[in-house]
């Protein structure tokens, strides 16, 4: 689930935060267990997502998978959020509420964000899933976002700065837009965040900006890295449900996320599938 301090000013305020939780190697391993469960849950959701399946069906599967492992869904009840996943379809960017009335159709794109708490530690990850036969343009948009996430991950190294990650995401998005001959928008109001004993922690991680700013990356930090891209204008608005964020002009949106730890050697993806 995204960090949601409003706009660029909110982002700048939070990246100056000093109170950043550092984890021991054992605590990082505990986070890896939570992250592996999130990855397994998302893999099950991907397998179920097809035309005729509702987003409530996906939510029920995710919750059961998490609870069967002795964990708790991070999202359910978080500030009143009613689901165990965020299920954001087509023009919905993030925080879509699962519903039995939202039935997936051929050609849909659905971004599923999932979190779990295991033994007090959080994992958080998101994928965008093509449903049935999806247009080439939508697939390219999703590939661009996924590639931008991995570009941000590659920028994680001790001694670097937080916005080195932001810059890597931004430049990957620009390169993909040039390569695809497309107009991709980076959503500015929402971004990544620190994570560990809570789901949302300092620092806030913007998905764009110049390198060399913000806190230094230190071994033991954990970050949720999560770009969100739109087809065209990235302006957003929130629906009356108080959660779902959509593109202002109806363009498609995608969202990819991994939880990553800063290690002595660079980075470790904590929400990859178990080996």
């Amino acid at each position: 689930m995204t960090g949601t301090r409003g706009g660029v000013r909110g982002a700048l305020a939070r990246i100056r935060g000093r109170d950043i939780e550092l984890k021991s190697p054992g605590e990082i391993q505990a986070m890896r267990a939570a992250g592996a469960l999130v990855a397994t849950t998302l893999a099950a959701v991907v397998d179920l997502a097809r035309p005729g399946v509702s987003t409530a069906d996906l939510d029920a599967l995710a919750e059961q998978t998490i609870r069967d492992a002795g964990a708790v869904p991070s999202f359910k009840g978080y500030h009143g959020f009613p689901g165990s996943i965020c299920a954001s379809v087509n023009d919905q960017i993030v925080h879509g509420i699962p519903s039995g009335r939202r039935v997936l159709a051929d050609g849909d794109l659905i971004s599923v964000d999932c979190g779990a708490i295991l033994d007090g530690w959080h994992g958080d990850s998101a994928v965008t899933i093509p449903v049935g036969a999806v247009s080439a343009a939508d697939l390219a948009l999703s590939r661009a976002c996924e590639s931008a996430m991995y570009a941000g991950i590659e920028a994680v190294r001790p001694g670097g700065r937080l916005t080195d990650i932001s810059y890597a995401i931004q430049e990957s998005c620009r390169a993909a837009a040039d390569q695809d001959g497309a107009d991709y928008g980076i959503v500015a109001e929402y971004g990544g965040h620190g994570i560990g004993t809570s789901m949302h922690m300092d620092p806030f991680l913007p998905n764009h900006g110049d390198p060399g700013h913000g806190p230094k990356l230190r071994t033991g930090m954990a970050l949720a890295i999560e770009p969100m891209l739109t087809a065209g204008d990235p302006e957003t608005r929130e629906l009356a449900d108080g959660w779902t964020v959509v593109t202002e002009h109806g363009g498609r949106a995608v969202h990819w996320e991994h939880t990553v730890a800063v290690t002595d050697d660079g980075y470790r993806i904590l929400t990859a599938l178990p080996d």
Side-chain angles (χ1 to χ4, degrees), residues 138-252:
D138 285 349
L139 292 175
L141 175 67
S142 184
R143 282 195 303 270
C145 188
E146 184 180 14
S147 295
M149 175 188 68
Y150 282 112
I153 291 170
E154 290 288 340
V156 173
R157 58 183 62 88
R161 292 283 187 175
L162 186 73
T163 65
D164 296 348
I165 302 170
S166 309
Y167 181 74
I169 290 169
Q170 170 186 286
E171 293 307 294
S172 178
C173 292
R174 286 178 175 172
D178 289 344
Q179 177 180 305
D180 298 341
D183 180 15
Y184 296 150
I186 300 173
V187 176
E189 293 91 341
Y190 302 88
H193 49 90
I195 185 171
T197 51
S198 298
M199 181 166 57
H200 289 139
M201 309 183 78
D202 283 338
F204 178 82
L205 174 56
N207 285 316
H208 63 99
D210 294 329
H213 301 287
K216 282 189 177 180
L217 302 179
R218 292 178 285 167
T219 296
M221 289 175 63
L223 299 167
I225 297 176
E226 50 178 323
M228 290 139 273
L229 293 189
T230 62
D233 193 326
E235 290 301 311
T236 70
R237 62 184 177 90
E238 188 176 270
L239 298 186
D241 62 24
W243 283 101
T244 308
V245 179
V246 301
T247 58
E248 180 68 38
H249 301 290
R252 292 286 176 105

Side-chain angles (χ1 to χ4, degrees), residues 48-58 87 89-90 92 97-110 131:
L48 181 59
R50 64 179 72 95
V53 172
S54 74
T55 57
D57 294 331
L58 301 180
V89 183
N90 295 336
Q92 297 175 350
I97 297 174
S99 170
R101 297 186 300 275
R102 189 67 190 244
V103 177
L104 298 177
D106 191 60
D108 281 345
L109 280 179
I110 177 172
V131 180

